[in-house]
Structures are given as structure tokens and as C-alpha cells.
Amino acid sequence: MSSINYSEKIPNNVNLSEDRTLQRALEQWQPNYLQWWDDMGPEGSQNFDVYLRTAVSVDPQGWAQFGHVKMPDYRWGIFLNPGDKDRKIHFGDHLGEPAWQEVPGEHRANLRRIIVTQGDTEPASVEQQRHLGLTCPSQYDLRNLFQVNVEEGRHLWAMVYLLHKYFGRDGREEGEALLERRSGNVDNPRILQAFNEKTPDWLSFFMFTYFTDRDGKFQLCALAESSFDPLARTTKFMLTEEAHHMFVGESGVGRVIQRTCQVMNELKTDDPARLRAAGVIDLPTIQRYLNFHFSVTIDLFGADQSSNAAIFYSSGLKGRYEEGKRSDDHILKGQSYKVLDVQGGMLVEKDVPMLNALNEVLRDDYIKDSVGGVERWNKVIEKAGIPFRLKVPHKAFHRQIGTLAGVKVSPEGHHVTDHEWNAKVEEWLPTDTDRAFVASLMGRVVEPGKFANWIAPPALGINRQPVDFEYIRFA
Ligand SMILES: [Fe+2]
Ligand SMILES: [Fe+2]
């Protein structure tokens, strides 16, 4: 079992004590990180004892230890999946060559950019979720929020480790910059737009962890294929934590839906006004939130045609989702892929070189994966006997990046005029009134076992604890 050494100042499984240069760099960064957590981490929570999971080993069967800890004392550190010294590159122009243990000079700039872009999302989401604890629907949910937050903090550590260890002085500068950018800040924003949006309420939080943390999963999966072995090993371990984040989102939205359906049946109505008066979130509003988060998230995969995507793949920096399980030649030269285009007011498919379309390939894999949970949400509605179904919108809906940027497309995938768009947009995307209504439901419920009116309790507690367990001991 590959366990993590917690006796050192910076917990790790990379023999940090034998690498003085790295140790010094990280020890300099650590107080700045803690300062950032203090400034931008979960508001007003530094003294709470939170029932958190801490990773203690990194093998696939690795177990996690649960216990009450104060978040600033969480054991952040450097944890890599065990390596395979004979690992070979399995895609791109270097196929069959040994994986890289150091950064090749010609790929240095691109690798640094990939690592910084991934790293930037981690503290960004903590910043976006900073105020949510003040309006939690239960202790159980509050604990889940904090678990996600500390793990995103650890993901930042993972990327900073790579920057410090392999990129020398500019890596250290990037490590500092990751603590200086701020989500939504006009002067120094986070790199990707979805990470500058607000996460103002818990429905947004659950949608974010379902959809946007799943983008994280797909990016990490693509990086876990990388020829740069330390990046592959680091991201593999991050993926084990990401699964819980998506669980928080999927089960959270599911419980909101369950509660709404219950009240719909009690009142025998689907009238949003009556349901809102009863203090639950009507299904059309949930659909609009879904439309928003889905469309903003699929933009994160980048332009549908991208020469950078081709370079990242051919040079072996970033693979496809489940690269190793695919049966093609893993070089992709001369192959094509279908992307969307707008011609004469119609959405049409066109063939483009696959290497240039790899962002779209990853986006399509993501879309397939994200539909699964929406179907499970529909099961909840179906079980309640209600004839309403949630749907992910067409991938051309509400896009800001690539060929489809700014093209007006309905959730069903019809190209519409500006006039039609303006007439319908309030049915398609959350309105100010929707957001104000959802915000009005956000109170603070912290008594063990109690839940806000707008959300059903979970079926099970965390780590087989009862649902009314004291997940947080308030100071
Ligand atoms: Fe993360
Ligand atoms: Fe995450």
C-alpha cells in the first residue's frame, strides 16, 4: 500500500525530505496558501470541527480516514499515484517511446500552460462557493460543501507541486499567481469564464458540482493519459476525489427534485406560483438552471476547432478520454470528425480533421456522461407519477466559445432569430426573478437531522453515519 507520510510539515508520498529545493519552495508557498484560505476559503468557518475525509493512501483500494478537523488544519499535501517505471507513451507522434519523467524543453511552455489552467480552476471554485456555508440547508450538506472545498484546495497543491518541481523559477511565479487571481475580479480574474461566474445559491452549487466538476473529471482524465508521467500520476489521484464532488451535485439536485415532486403531489398542482408559495423550486426553474450550467460548462472544452488541441495531442501532452481503451491508431492523422456549423440560418454538420476537433471529441464524451445523471433525476420525477422530464439542452444552445459563439439556438437545437430568442429566453435561462426566488429560500439550517423545506433528506449519511449525525461541531 502506498501511504502518505503525515508526520512531515507537508504531508506527501514523494520523499519530499530528500528534495531540499522543492521542500524549500513549497514551504515558502504554504503560508501564502494558508493566508489565501483564510481570506477566500469558506466564510466564518475556520473554527468549526468538520467531519472530513482525509486520504491516507493513494492506491486504488486506498482508504480514507474520517474524523472531525478544523479546515485550516486539513492535511493538504503532495500525493501521487504510484508510478510504473516502464510506462510507454500510448498516443501521438511519440507513441511507444518511454514516458517522460522530466519536461522536454520543446513542450515546456505548453505543459506549463495546461497545468496553470487546470490549477487555476481549483482555488476559483472555492472562491465561488465561499459564502454558501452561511445558507446551508443542513449540516449534512454543509459538511459536503466543506469536503469539496478542502479537496479543491488540495488539487491546487497538486498543480503547484508540478510547477515547483519541474518549472523552476517561472513555476514558482505561477504558483504565486494562482493565489493572487480572484474569481469574478475585474482586474485579475480567474482564467476560465465559468470560474468567474457566481455560485450564489445551493441549487447553483449542486448544478455546478454535477456539471462543472464533471468537466474537471474529463480534463483530468485527458491529462491522466499524458506522456509527462508526473502529471499523469498526479491527476489520477485527483480523480479519486472528484467522484465525490459529482455525487454531491447529482444527489443534491435529485433531492431538490424529490422534495418538489412530493409537494406537487400533496397540493395536486404543477403551477409554479403555488409551488413557490409552498417554498419549493418548481421543475421549470430547475430546467432553466440546468440549461445555464450545462451550456456554460461545455464552453470550458474550448473552441470546436483548435490547432492547440491538435498540438497537445500529437506531442503527447493531453490524450483523449479513456485513450487507452480505444482501438484506433492513437495518432489520428487523416481522420475526420463532425462538428457543427451554421449555414444559411441552419445548423449543419461538417467534417473536419479529427486532430483539430479534439476539444469537440472531449466535449461529446462529456455530454454522453452528463446525460446519465439527468436520466436518474427523471426517474425520481417518474416515480412520483409526474409527467415532466428534464433534458440537457442542445449543444449549440447559449454558447460563447467557438463557431457557435453568439449564434441563437433554442434548447431543442433550432436556429432562431434575435426576436424569437428575446421572446423565449425567459423560458430557457434563469431570470432575475428565478434567482431572487431561489435566493429567498436560502436560510441556514444547522440542527442535526433537520433539512430546509426545499430539499429532501439524503437516503444515507456520510461514511455510514446516521443522517442526523453531528457532522459539524460549531465553535
Ligand atoms: Fe478539483
Ligand atoms: Fe472538484
Side-chain angles (χ1 to χ4, degrees):
M1 181 172 103
S2 184
S3 62
I4 294 164
N5 181 352
Y6 276 103
S7 62
E8 288 180 44
K9 189 170 173 196
I10 298 173
N12 71 90
N13 70 341
V14 293
N15 286 331
L16 189 57
S17 56
E18 283 156 37
D19 186 341
R20 297 293 299 158
T21 317
L22 174 64
Q23 200 182 9
R24 227 173 299 127
L26 285 167
E27 283 182 2
Q28 255 179 36
W29 186 80
Q30 189 178 38
N32 298 342
Y33 170 82
L34 288 171
Q35 185 62 50
W36 166 81
W37 181 268
D38 205 44
D39 294 343
M40 296 311 294
E43 198 182 332
S45 61
Q46 310 289 356
N47 277 320
F48 299 172
D49 287 305
V50 186
Y51 188 68
L52 292 175
R53 167 180 81 168
T54 301
V56 291
S57 94
V58 296
D59 50 308
Q61 296 78 38
W63 48 284
Q65 218 162 40
F66 281 85
H68 283 89
V69 280
K70 295 195 194 332
M71 283 187 282
D73 301 334
Y74 188 76
R75 307 311 316 275
W76 287 292
I78 310 302
F79 321 139
L80 267 66
N81 259 28
D84 164 9
K85 63 178 180 14
D86 299 322
R87 182 172 169 241
K88 299 275 186 290
I89 295 172
H90 60 303
F91 65 93
D93 297 341
H94 302 287
L95 185 82
E97 295 171 20
W100 314 318
Q101 299 307 325
E102 295 293 332
V103 178
E106 69 269 38
H107 303 312
R108 197 169 188 275
N110 279 337
L111 268 173
R112 194 182 71 196
R113 179 171 158 196
I114 287 171
I115 292 166
V116 167
T117 307
Q118 177 61 42
D120 193 66
T121 67
E122 315 289 356
S125 67
V126 176
E127 293 166 0
Q128 289 172 295
Q129 296 161 15
R130 164 170 170 68
H131 304 294
L132 287 172
L134 305 176
T135 58
C136 61
S138 73
Q139 259 201 38
Y140 165 90
D141 290 290
L142 186 58
R143 177 257 163 229
N144 285 350
L145 167 72
F146 291 159
Q147 182 75 58
V148 170
N149 291 159
V150 293
E151 286 173 352
E152 300 305 5
R154 210 203 59 72
H155 292 174
L156 173 59
W157 272 87
M159 294 297 106
V160 166
Y161 157 73
L162 294 174
L163 290 169
H164 280 184
K165 169 123 179 126
Y166 298 98
F167 294 87
R169 191 163 130 196
D170 27 325
R172 290 194 293 278
E173 285 169 7
E174 295 282 15
E176 288 305 322
L178 284 165
L179 296 175
E180 285 159 9
R181 283 184 289 271
R182 291 284 180 272
S183 175
N185 186 296
V186 237
D187 301 320
N188 196 10
R190 291 295 173 182
I191 296 169
L192 299 170
Q193 185 45 34
F195 291 88
N196 286 309
E197 303 278 350
K198 286 202 166 76
T199 310
D201 58 63
W202 280 76
L203 182 57
S204 301
F205 170 65
F206 291 138
M207 290 288 179
F208 185 96
T209 43
Y210 183 75
F211 287 110
T212 311
D213 281 83
R214 186 175 310 272
D215 159 73
K217 166 186 161 180
F218 276 76
Q219 300 298 345
L220 293 175
C221 280
L223 297 178
E225 308 285 344
S226 182
S227 310
F228 179 41
D229 201 46
L231 175 60
R233 291 168 55 202
T234 304
T235 46
K236 267 188 198 133
F237 184 65
M238 291 162 76
L239 278 163
T240 61
E241 292 164 325
E242 212 58 69
H244 175 70
H245 306 181
M246 291 178 292
F247 158 81
V248 169
E250 181 172 333
S251 59
V253 175
R255 289 162 50 214
V256 176
I257 292 169
Q258 190 190 334
R259 177 66 187 142
T260 299
C261 291
Q262 193 187 354
V263 174
M264 287 174 81
N265 284 337
E266 278 167 19
L267 300 181
K268 299 196 173 34
T269 186
D270 61 3
D271 177 7
R274 288 192 60 201
L275 291 164
R276 286 183 177 202
V280 295
I281 306 172
D282 51 288
L283 297 176
T285 297
I286 294 172
Q287 176 70 63
R288 287 192 285 276
Y289 270 67
L290 187 164
N291 289 350
F292 176 78
H293 285 272
F294 179 82
S295 56
V296 168
T297 301
I298 62 174
D299 268 342
L300 287 171
F301 292 88
D304 38 353
Q305 290 185 71
S306 157
S307 51
N308 271 336
I311 291 167
F312 291 175
Y313 184 85
S314 292
S315 53
L317 309 184
K318 184 177 175 184
R320 287 170 294 173
Y321 178 61
E322 298 193 323
E323 183 70 45
K325 292 189 188 167
R326 298 183 190 236
S327 56
D328 53 30
D329 69 358
H330 303 280
I331 294 171
L332 308 179
K333 295 220 160 82
Q335 299 187 37
S336 66
Y337 195 75
K338 287 190 191 328
V339 299
L340 287 175
D341 196 11
V342 190
Q343 284 169 16
M346 298 272 285
L347 283 176
V348 292
E349 285 188 327
K350 70 171 181 189
D351 281 315
V352 298
M354 188 182 280
L355 279 171
N356 284 62
L358 285 172
N359 287 343
E360 195 66 15
V361 171
L362 194 59
R363 179 165 25 242
D364 286 340
D365 287 330
Y366 168 88
I367 290 173
K368 265 184 241 146
D369 197 61
S370 59
V371 168
V374 178
E375 286 315 312
R376 287 187 287 278
W377 295 337
N378 279 332
K379 288 268 185 309
V380 177
I381 307 176
E382 201 180 312
K383 225 171 125 191
I386 292 167
F388 183 101
R389 296 295 173 263
L390 294 162
K391 261 176 83 176
V392 302
H394 192 273
K395 76 172 170 183
F397 171 72
H398 189 232
R399 293 291 305 282
Q400 314 295 331
I401 286 190
T403 311
L404 300 167
V407 179
K408 300 282 195 296
V409 176
S410 71
E412 292 76 34
H414 303 299
H415 188 245
V416 297
T417 62
D418 282 1
H419 182 77
E420 288 169 299
W421 174 271
N422 292 335
K424 289 279 198 175
V425 68
E426 300 207 333
E427 287 172 34
W428 295 340
L429 288 170
T431 63
D432 291 348
T433 318
D434 292 339
R435 292 195 183 277
F437 168 69
V438 173
S440 77
L441 297 180
M442 301 294 122
R444 180 175 166 85
V445 179
V446 290
E447 205 181 313
K450 290 270 183 305
F451 288 80
N453 178 61
W454 53 270
I455 189 166
L460 296 167
I462 290 295
N463 191 34
R464 300 190 195 163
Q465 296 291 358
V467 170
D468 64 359
F469 181 70
E470 194 178 16
Y471 290 105
I472 316 248
R473 298 184 195 133
F474 298 94

